[in-house]
Amino acid sequence: MERLKHDLVIVGSGIAGLRAAIEASRLSPGLSVAIVTKTQAMRSHSVCAEGGTAAVLYPELGDSVESHVFDTVKGSDYLADQDAVEKFANMVPSEIYQLEHWGMPWSRREDGRIAQRDFGGYSYPRATFAEDKVGFYEMQTLYDTCTKFPNIIFYQEWFATSILAEQGEFRGITAIEMKSGEFATIAAKAGIIASGGAGRLFSFATYGHSSTPDGMSMALRAGIALKDMEFFQFHPSGLIPSGILITEGARAEGGILLNKDGERFMKRYAPGKLELASRDVVSRAIITEIEEGRGFRDGDGLEYVNLDLTQIGAQRIKERLNGIREIAMKFNNTDPVEKPLPVRPVCHYTMGGIDVDIDGATRIKGLWAAGEAACVSINGANRLGANSTAECLVWGRITGGAAAEYAVKRSDSPPSDGQALKEEKRIFDEIFHGKGGTNPYAVRDELQRAMDKGAYVFRTGEGLAEAVKVVRRLKAEDYLHCDDSSRRYNTNLTNVLEVESLLLAAEAFLAGAVARTESRGAHARRDYPKRDDVNWLKHTLAYHTPEGVRLDYSPVKITRFQPAERHY
Ligand SMILES: Cc1cc2nc3c(=O)[nH]c(=O)nc-3n(C[C@H](O)[C@H](O)[C@H](O)COP(=O)(O)OP(=O)(O)OC[C@H]3O[C@@H](n4cnc5c(N)ncnc54)[C@H](O)[C@@H]3O)c2cc1C
């Protein structure tokens, strides 16, 4: 077992992780900061973000922070913590300018100022963008900036496996160096989990295949709850058949949704905002159209509706939506300049995550979580598009600053070996050298199918119970073994660990979803179609215990906006 040591260790090199590393280094240049990432840093899912980052930039033209707060709270179906949303909306604008100063090539208006486009659920066009590749440019800008700090050390293609904590205090993490297959402890005074979302719980997903809930499962196993995991976002426009995202920016630029009768059906569901109602509303409308026989069906039986961008015009599509044009041509053989695109709702975002407070702190002293892995919560039951990259920037900054301040004041207290040796034994003796008859990839596929079927846009108690049964059965199977016996780059081993994480997170998700007998935001129960504020205006907390999931609840912080019925 190799023993490494830093002051701060960050798991994840997406927007949240990189922003945290920069903030910690800016405040305390003497601090040794490690970024551990299972992919190459620039292959984190953040590079896929397409449409924009929400911020109030032009109050003089009619936008306001209060309006950003209200739109976000309304979008969340009133489950967001309003104090956190206020902090968020106040802090994002300076992040946009900060990125600009670090070199971010924001798209521009005619007058040279930063351009913004409309996005779902907003009452002002406040999505700041860079063509339709906002995540790629943000990641490039942050990565470039990280390289200016010699104290930031990247551990690329290192797979983190567990959190080391003693007497409720963070001590470090364990990880596998994938290149050599060596197991290591990375001792640190402070830690930040920024390991992204859990999107690969579903097979039809916009996420990269690396988006598995490893960090969430590390937190669960360390005794931290996952909050509001039953709230998963289904984005209205996943391209058939792969599920690759067609950004909401396409609808913001003038794209419309049509059913097989050529009807612009959103007029019936959201007469005010039409295609730019919040994502939960648009996704439910599409599924309803399909279920009522007004969808299309392709040769493989896949059902969809049309997203028509032809009226936007070739020039604007090439200028502002070139990325999705290329995707549509490569993956569906369709040029959106000429023909509508076939789309249906696709798993896109994890509203829930590691339970943290408004400053991103977990219940383990010295450990924070940020970005999509965390649940602060500003997104509640439904996130508005363009708020996630913004959240990653804001809580990357907050947690990076807090962790640095904490680490500077602490003296070294490295972890004792006991917990790490146990983890090494679990991974190498039990899994790497383990034997078993069940193919872990078949387990992953079956889990995804069960989630696609039981926990998609509309849910029922019966469907969820069926998914629970599948997860329980799969957990009991002997899939925790590795057929590839080589140590170097053993992705078979890390894939098995990912399947284990998926099953743990699925259990937490389903327990919360079965219990929540109401419909709120993205959690739409056919058997309980109404929102129930009397009983369910509260956050779900799911803990991992040897007997299974233990549920608890915590109150929602309401400051200015009393829950009201949502209309778009
Ligand atoms: C296709 C797509 C388009 C999107 N478009 C937008 C948009 O336009 N606007 C917007 O606001 N949001 C958008 N989102 C959402 C947003 O991009 C993400 O929520 C956000 O980028 C997540 O960033 P993150 O830093 O939390 O984590 P990620 O970028 O997901 O990175 C996770 C990191 O954790 C590391 N990691 C995970 N597990 C381990 C482990 N076991 N060991 C070591 N490292 C590990 C990974 O290697 C990676 O570096 C989009 C999402 C998708 C999927």
Side-chain angles (χ1 to χ4, degrees), residues 290-329:
I290 289 173
E291 285 183 353
E292 292 179 0
R294 293 185 294 277
F296 300 85
R297 187 184 282 264
D298 75 0
D300 297 320
L302 278 175
E303 293 182 298
Y304 61 92
V305 295
N306 271 340
L307 174 62
D308 191 354
L309 310 186
T310 53
Q311 65 284 357
I312 297 175
Q315 195 192 337
R316 200 167 167 93
I317 289 181
K318 285 176 193 165
E319 252 169 46
R320 293 189 161 206
L321 300 167
N322 208 34
I324 60 121
R325 177 170 183 239
E326 196 183 327
I327 286 169
M329 286 161 63

CSV table of all heavy atoms in Angstrom, one decimal, residues 290-329:
chain,number,residue,atom,x,y,z
A,290,ILE,N,-47.2,10.7,-26.4
A,290,ILE,CA,-46.8,9.4,-26.9
A,290,ILE,C,-47.8,8.3,-26.5
A,290,ILE,O,-48.3,7.5,-27.2
A,290,ILE,CB,-45.4,9.0,-26.5
A,290,ILE,CG1,-44.3,9.9,-27.3
A,290,ILE,CG2,-45.1,7.5,-26.7
A,290,ILE,CD1,-42.9,9.7,-26.8
A,291,GLU,N,-48.1,8.4,-25.1
A,291,GLU,CA,-49.1,7.4,-24.6
A,291,GLU,C,-50.5,7.5,-25.2
A,291,GLU,O,-51.2,6.5,-25.3
A,291,GLU,CB,-49.1,7.6,-23.1
A,291,GLU,CG,-47.9,7.0,-22.4
A,291,GLU,CD,-48.0,7.1,-20.9
A,291,GLU,OE1,-48.9,7.7,-20.3
A,291,GLU,OE2,-47.1,6.6,-20.2
A,292,GLU,N,-50.8,8.7,-25.6
A,292,GLU,CA,-52.2,8.9,-26.1
A,292,GLU,C,-52.2,8.7,-27.7
A,292,GLU,O,-53.2,9.1,-28.3
A,292,GLU,CB,-52.7,10.3,-25.7
A,292,GLU,CG,-53.0,10.3,-24.2
A,292,GLU,CD,-53.6,11.6,-23.6
A,292,GLU,OE1,-53.7,12.5,-24.4
A,292,GLU,OE2,-53.8,11.7,-22.4
A,293,GLY,N,-51.1,8.2,-28.2
A,293,GLY,CA,-51.1,7.8,-29.6
A,293,GLY,C,-50.7,8.9,-30.6
A,293,GLY,O,-50.9,8.8,-31.8
A,294,ARG,N,-50.2,10.0,-30.1
A,294,ARG,CA,-49.8,11.1,-31.0
A,294,ARG,C,-48.3,11.2,-31.2
A,294,ARG,O,-47.8,12.3,-31.6
A,294,ARG,CB,-50.4,12.4,-30.5
A,294,ARG,CG,-52.0,12.5,-30.5
A,294,ARG,CD,-52.5,13.8,-30.1
A,294,ARG,NE,-52.3,14.1,-28.7
A,294,ARG,CZ,-53.1,13.7,-27.7
A,294,ARG,NH1,-54.1,12.9,-28.0
A,294,ARG,NH2,-52.8,14.0,-26.5
A,295,GLY,N,-47.6,10.2,-30.8
A,295,GLY,CA,-46.1,10.2,-31.0
A,295,GLY,C,-45.8,9.5,-32.3
A,295,GLY,O,-46.7,9.0,-33.0
A,296,PHE,N,-44.5,9.5,-32.7
A,296,PHE,CA,-44.0,8.7,-33.9
A,296,PHE,C,-43.4,7.4,-33.3
A,296,PHE,O,-43.1,7.3,-32.2
A,296,PHE,CB,-43.0,9.5,-34.6
A,296,PHE,CG,-43.4,10.8,-35.1
A,296,PHE,CD1,-43.3,12.0,-34.3
A,296,PHE,CD2,-43.8,10.9,-36.5
A,296,PHE,CE1,-43.7,13.2,-34.8
A,296,PHE,CE2,-44.2,12.2,-37.0
A,296,PHE,CZ,-44.1,13.3,-36.1
A,297,ARG,N,-43.2,6.5,-34.2
A,297,ARG,CA,-42.5,5.2,-33.9
A,297,ARG,C,-41.5,4.9,-34.9
A,297,ARG,O,-41.9,4.9,-36.1
A,297,ARG,CB,-43.6,4.1,-33.7
A,297,ARG,CG,-43.0,2.8,-33.2
A,297,ARG,CD,-44.2,1.8,-33.2
A,297,ARG,NE,-45.1,1.9,-32.2
A,297,ARG,CZ,-45.1,1.3,-31.0
A,297,ARG,NH1,-44.1,0.4,-30.8
A,297,ARG,NH2,-46.0,1.5,-30.1
A,298,ASP,N,-40.3,4.6,-34.6
A,298,ASP,CA,-39.3,4.3,-35.6
A,298,ASP,C,-39.3,2.8,-35.9
A,298,ASP,O,-40.0,2.1,-35.3
A,298,ASP,CB,-37.9,4.9,-35.2
A,298,ASP,CG,-37.2,4.1,-34.2
A,298,ASP,OD1,-37.8,3.1,-33.7
A,298,ASP,OD2,-36.1,4.4,-33.8
A,299,GLY,N,-38.4,2.4,-36.8
A,299,GLY,CA,-38.4,1.0,-37.3
A,299,GLY,C,-38.1,0.1,-36.1
A,299,GLY,O,-38.5,-1.1,-36.2
A,300,ASP,N,-37.4,0.5,-35.1
A,300,ASP,CA,-37.1,-0.4,-33.9
A,300,ASP,C,-38.1,-0.3,-32.8
A,300,ASP,O,-37.9,-0.8,-31.7
A,300,ASP,CB,-35.7,0.0,-33.3
A,300,ASP,CG,-34.6,-0.2,-34.4
A,300,ASP,OD1,-34.6,-1.2,-35.1
A,300,ASP,OD2,-33.7,0.7,-34.4
A,301,GLY,N,-39.2,0.4,-33.1
A,301,GLY,CA,-40.3,0.5,-32.1
A,301,GLY,C,-40.0,1.7,-31.1
A,301,GLY,O,-40.8,1.8,-30.1
A,302,LEU,N,-39.0,2.5,-31.3
A,302,LEU,CA,-38.7,3.6,-30.3
A,302,LEU,C,-39.7,4.7,-30.6
A,302,LEU,O,-39.9,5.1,-31.7
A,302,LEU,CB,-37.3,4.1,-30.5
A,302,LEU,CG,-36.2,3.4,-29.8
A,302,LEU,CD1,-34.9,4.0,-30.2
A,302,LEU,CD2,-36.4,3.4,-28.3
A,303,GLU,N,-40.4,5.2,-29.5
A,303,GLU,CA,-41.4,6.2,-29.7
A,303,GLU,C,-40.8,7.6,-29.4
A,303,GLU,O,-39.9,7.7,-28.5
A,303,GLU,CB,-42.6,5.9,-28.8
A,303,GLU,CG,-43.3,4.7,-29.3
A,303,GLU,CD,-44.5,4.3,-28.5
A,303,GLU,OE1,-44.3,4.1,-27.2
A,303,GLU,OE2,-45.6,4.3,-29.0
A,304,TYR,N,-41.2,8.6,-30.1
A,304,TYR,CA,-40.6,9.9,-30.0
A,304,TYR,C,-41.6,11.0,-30.5
A,304,TYR,O,-42.7,10.7,-31.1
A,304,TYR,CB,-39.3,10.0,-30.8
A,304,TYR,CG,-39.4,9.7,-32.3
A,304,TYR,CD1,-39.6,10.8,-33.2
A,304,TYR,CD2,-39.4,8.5,-32.8
A,304,TYR,CE1,-39.7,10.6,-34.5
A,304,TYR,CE2,-39.5,8.2,-34.2
A,304,TYR,CZ,-39.7,9.3,-35.0
A,304,TYR,OH,-39.8,9.1,-36.4
A,305,VAL,N,-41.2,12.3,-30.3
A,305,VAL,CA,-41.9,13.4,-31.0
A,305,VAL,C,-40.8,14.1,-31.8
A,305,VAL,O,-39.6,13.8,-31.7
A,305,VAL,CB,-42.6,14.4,-30.0
A,305,VAL,CG1,-43.7,13.7,-29.2
A,305,VAL,CG2,-41.6,15.0,-29.0
A,306,ASN,N,-41.2,15.1,-32.6
A,306,ASN,CA,-40.3,15.9,-33.4
A,306,ASN,C,-39.9,17.2,-32.8
A,306,ASN,O,-40.7,17.9,-32.2
A,306,ASN,CB,-40.9,16.1,-34.8
A,306,ASN,CG,-40.6,15.0,-35.8
A,306,ASN,OD1,-39.7,14.2,-35.5
A,306,ASN,ND2,-41.4,14.9,-36.8
A,307,LEU,N,-38.6,17.5,-32.8
A,307,LEU,CA,-38.1,18.8,-32.5
A,307,LEU,C,-37.7,19.5,-33.8
A,307,LEU,O,-36.7,19.1,-34.4
A,307,LEU,CB,-36.9,18.7,-31.5
A,307,LEU,CG,-36.2,20.0,-31.2
A,307,LEU,CD1,-37.1,20.9,-30.4
A,307,LEU,CD2,-34.9,19.7,-30.3
A,308,ASP,N,-38.5,20.5,-34.1
A,308,ASP,CA,-38.3,21.1,-35.4
A,308,ASP,C,-37.5,22.4,-35.3
A,308,ASP,O,-37.9,23.4,-34.7
A,308,ASP,CB,-39.6,21.4,-36.0
A,308,ASP,CG,-39.5,21.8,-37.5
A,308,ASP,OD1,-38.4,22.0,-38.0
A,308,ASP,OD2,-40.6,22.0,-38.1
A,309,LEU,N,-36.3,22.4,-35.9
A,309,LEU,CA,-35.4,23.6,-35.8
A,309,LEU,C,-35.3,24.4,-37.1
A,309,LEU,O,-34.6,25.4,-37.3
A,309,LEU,CB,-34.0,23.3,-35.4
A,309,LEU,CG,-33.8,22.4,-34.1
A,309,LEU,CD1,-32.3,22.3,-33.8
A,309,LEU,CD2,-34.5,22.9,-32.9
A,310,THR,N,-36.0,23.8,-38.2
A,310,THR,CA,-35.8,24.3,-39.5
A,310,THR,C,-36.1,25.8,-39.6
A,310,THR,O,-35.4,26.5,-40.4
A,310,THR,CB,-36.7,23.6,-40.5
A,310,THR,OG1,-38.1,23.6,-40.1
A,310,THR,CG2,-36.3,22.1,-40.7
A,311,GLN,N,-37.1,26.3,-38.8
A,311,GLN,CA,-37.5,27.7,-39.0
A,311,GLN,C,-36.4,28.7,-38.4
A,311,GLN,O,-36.5,29.9,-38.6
A,311,GLN,CB,-38.9,28.0,-38.4
A,311,GLN,CG,-39.0,27.8,-36.9
A,311,GLN,CD,-39.1,26.3,-36.6
A,311,GLN,OE1,-39.1,25.5,-37.4
A,311,GLN,NE2,-39.1,26.1,-35.3
A,312,ILE,N,-35.4,28.1,-37.6
A,312,ILE,CA,-34.4,29.0,-37.0
A,312,ILE,C,-33.5,29.6,-38.2
A,312,ILE,O,-33.0,30.7,-38.1
A,312,ILE,CB,-33.5,28.2,-36.0
A,312,ILE,CG1,-34.4,27.7,-34.9
A,312,ILE,CG2,-32.4,29.1,-35.5
A,312,ILE,CD1,-33.7,26.9,-33.8
A,313,GLY,N,-33.3,28.7,-39.2
A,313,GLY,CA,-32.5,29.2,-40.3
A,313,GLY,C,-31.1,28.7,-40.2
A,313,GLY,O,-30.5,28.6,-39.1
A,314,ALA,N,-30.5,28.4,-41.4
A,314,ALA,CA,-29.2,27.7,-41.5
A,314,ALA,C,-28.1,28.6,-40.8
A,314,ALA,O,-27.3,28.0,-40.0
A,314,ALA,CB,-28.8,27.5,-42.9
A,315,GLN,N,-28.1,29.9,-41.0
A,315,GLN,CA,-27.0,30.7,-40.5
A,315,GLN,C,-27.0,30.7,-39.0
A,315,GLN,O,-25.9,30.5,-38.4
A,315,GLN,CB,-27.2,32.1,-41.0
A,315,GLN,CG,-25.9,32.9,-40.9
A,315,GLN,CD,-26.0,34.3,-41.1
A,315,GLN,OE1,-27.0,34.8,-41.8
A,315,GLN,NE2,-25.1,35.1,-40.5
A,316,ARG,N,-28.1,30.9,-38.4
A,316,ARG,CA,-28.2,30.9,-36.9
A,316,ARG,C,-27.8,29.6,-36.3
A,316,ARG,O,-27.2,29.5,-35.3
A,316,ARG,CB,-29.5,31.4,-36.4
A,316,ARG,CG,-29.5,32.0,-35.0
A,316,ARG,CD,-30.8,32.7,-34.8
A,316,ARG,NE,-31.0,33.0,-33.4
A,316,ARG,CZ,-30.6,34.1,-32.8
A,316,ARG,NH1,-30.0,35.1,-33.5
A,316,ARG,NH2,-30.9,34.3,-31.5
A,317,ILE,N,-28.3,28.5,-36.9
A,317,ILE,CA,-28.0,27.2,-36.4
A,317,ILE,C,-26.5,27.0,-36.5
A,317,ILE,O,-25.9,26.5,-35.5
A,317,ILE,CB,-28.8,26.1,-37.3
A,317,ILE,CG1,-30.3,26.1,-37.0
A,317,ILE,CG2,-28.2,24.7,-37.0
A,317,ILE,CD1,-31.1,25.1,-37.7
A,318,LYS,N,-25.9,27.3,-37.6
A,318,LYS,CA,-24.4,27.1,-37.7
A,318,LYS,C,-23.7,28.0,-36.7
A,318,LYS,O,-22.6,27.6,-36.2
A,318,LYS,CB,-24.0,27.4,-39.1
A,318,LYS,CG,-24.4,26.3,-40.1
A,318,LYS,CD,-24.1,26.6,-41.5
A,318,LYS,CE,-24.8,25.6,-42.4
A,318,LYS,NZ,-24.8,26.0,-43.8
A,319,GLU,N,-24.2,29.2,-36.4
A,319,GLU,CA,-23.5,30.1,-35.5
A,319,GLU,C,-23.7,29.6,-34.0
A,319,GLU,O,-22.7,29.6,-33.2
A,319,GLU,CB,-24.2,31.4,-35.6
A,319,GLU,CG,-23.3,32.5,-36.3
A,319,GLU,CD,-24.2,33.7,-36.5
A,319,GLU,OE1,-24.9,34.1,-35.6
A,319,GLU,OE2,-24.1,34.1,-37.7
A,320,ARG,N,-24.9,29.2,-33.7
A,320,ARG,CA,-25.2,29.1,-32.2
A,320,ARG,C,-25.5,27.6,-31.8
A,320,ARG,O,-25.5,27.3,-30.6
A,320,ARG,CB,-26.4,29.9,-31.9
A,320,ARG,CG,-26.1,31.4,-32.0
A,320,ARG,CD,-27.3,32.2,-31.4
A,320,ARG,NE,-26.8,33.5,-31.1
A,320,ARG,CZ,-27.4,34.3,-30.2
A,320,ARG,NH1,-28.4,33.8,-29.5
A,320,ARG,NH2,-26.9,35.5,-30.0
A,321,LEU,N,-25.7,26.8,-32.8
A,321,LEU,CA,-26.1,25.4,-32.4
A,321,LEU,C,-25.3,24.4,-33.3
A,321,LEU,O,-25.7,23.3,-33.6
A,321,LEU,CB,-27.6,25.1,-32.7
A,321,LEU,CG,-28.5,26.0,-31.8
A,321,LEU,CD1,-30.0,25.9,-32.3
A,321,LEU,CD2,-28.5,25.6,-30.3
A,322,ASN,N,-24.1,24.8,-33.6
A,322,ASN,CA,-23.3,23.9,-34.5
A,322,ASN,C,-23.0,22.6,-33.9
A,322,ASN,O,-22.9,21.6,-34.6
A,322,ASN,CB,-22.0,24.7,-34.9
A,322,ASN,CG,-21.5,24.3,-36.2
A,322,ASN,OD1,-22.4,24.0,-37.1
A,322,ASN,ND2,-20.2,24.2,-36.4
A,323,GLY,N,-22.7,22.5,-32.6
A,323,GLY,CA,-22.4,21.3,-31.9
A,323,GLY,C,-23.5,20.3,-32.1
A,323,GLY,O,-23.3,19.1,-32.4
A,324,ILE,N,-24.8,20.7,-31.8
A,324,ILE,CA,-25.9,19.7,-31.9
A,324,ILE,C,-26.2,19.4,-33.3
A,324,ILE,O,-26.6,18.3,-33.6
A,324,ILE,CB,-27.1,20.1,-31.1
A,324,ILE,CG1,-27.7,21.4,-31.6
A,324,ILE,CG2,-26.9,20.2,-29.6
A,324,ILE,CD1,-29.1,21.3,-32.1
A,325,ARG,N,-25.9,20.3,-34.3
A,325,ARG,CA,-26.1,20.0,-35.7
A,325,ARG,C,-25.1,18.8,-36.1
A,325,ARG,O,-25.6,17.8,-36.7
A,325,ARG,CB,-25.8,21.2,-36.5
A,325,ARG,CG,-25.9,20.9,-38.0
A,325,ARG,CD,-25.8,22.2,-38.9
A,325,ARG,NE,-26.0,21.8,-40.3
A,325,ARG,CZ,-25.1,22.0,-41.2
A,325,ARG,NH1,-24.0,22.6,-41.0
A,325,ARG,NH2,-25.4,21.6,-42.5
A,326,GLU,N,-23.9,18.9,-35.6
A,326,GLU,CA,-22.9,17.9,-35.9
A,326,GLU,C,-23.4,16.5,-35.3
A,326,GLU,O,-23.3,15.5,-35.9
A,326,GLU,CB,-21.6,18.3,-35.3
A,326,GLU,CG,-20.4,17.5,-35.9
A,326,GLU,CD,-19.1,18.0,-35.2
A,326,GLU,OE1,-19.0,19.2,-34.9
A,326,GLU,OE2,-18.3,17.1,-35.0
A,327,ILE,N,-23.8,16.6,-34.0
A,327,ILE,CA,-24.3,15.4,-33.3
A,327,ILE,C,-25.5,14.8,-34.1
A,327,ILE,O,-25.5,13.6,-34.3
A,327,ILE,CB,-24.7,15.8,-31.9
A,327,ILE,CG1,-23.5,16.0,-31.0
A,327,ILE,CG2,-25.6,14.7,-31.2
A,327,ILE,CD1,-23.8,16.7,-29.6
A,328,ALA,N,-26.4,15.6,-34.5
A,328,ALA,CA,-27.6,15.1,-35.2
A,328,ALA,C,-27.2,14.4,-36.5
A,328,ALA,O,-27.8,13.4,-36.9
A,328,ALA,CB,-28.6,16.2,-35.4
A,329,MET,N,-26.3,15.0,-37.2
A,329,MET,CA,-25.9,14.5,-38.5
A,329,MET,C,-25.1,13.2,-38.3
A,329,MET,O,-25.3,12.2,-39.0
A,329,MET,CB,-25.0,15.5,-39.3
A,329,MET,CG,-25.9,16.6,-39.8
A,329,MET,SD,-25.2,18.2,-40.3
A,329,MET,CE,-24.1,17.7,-41.6
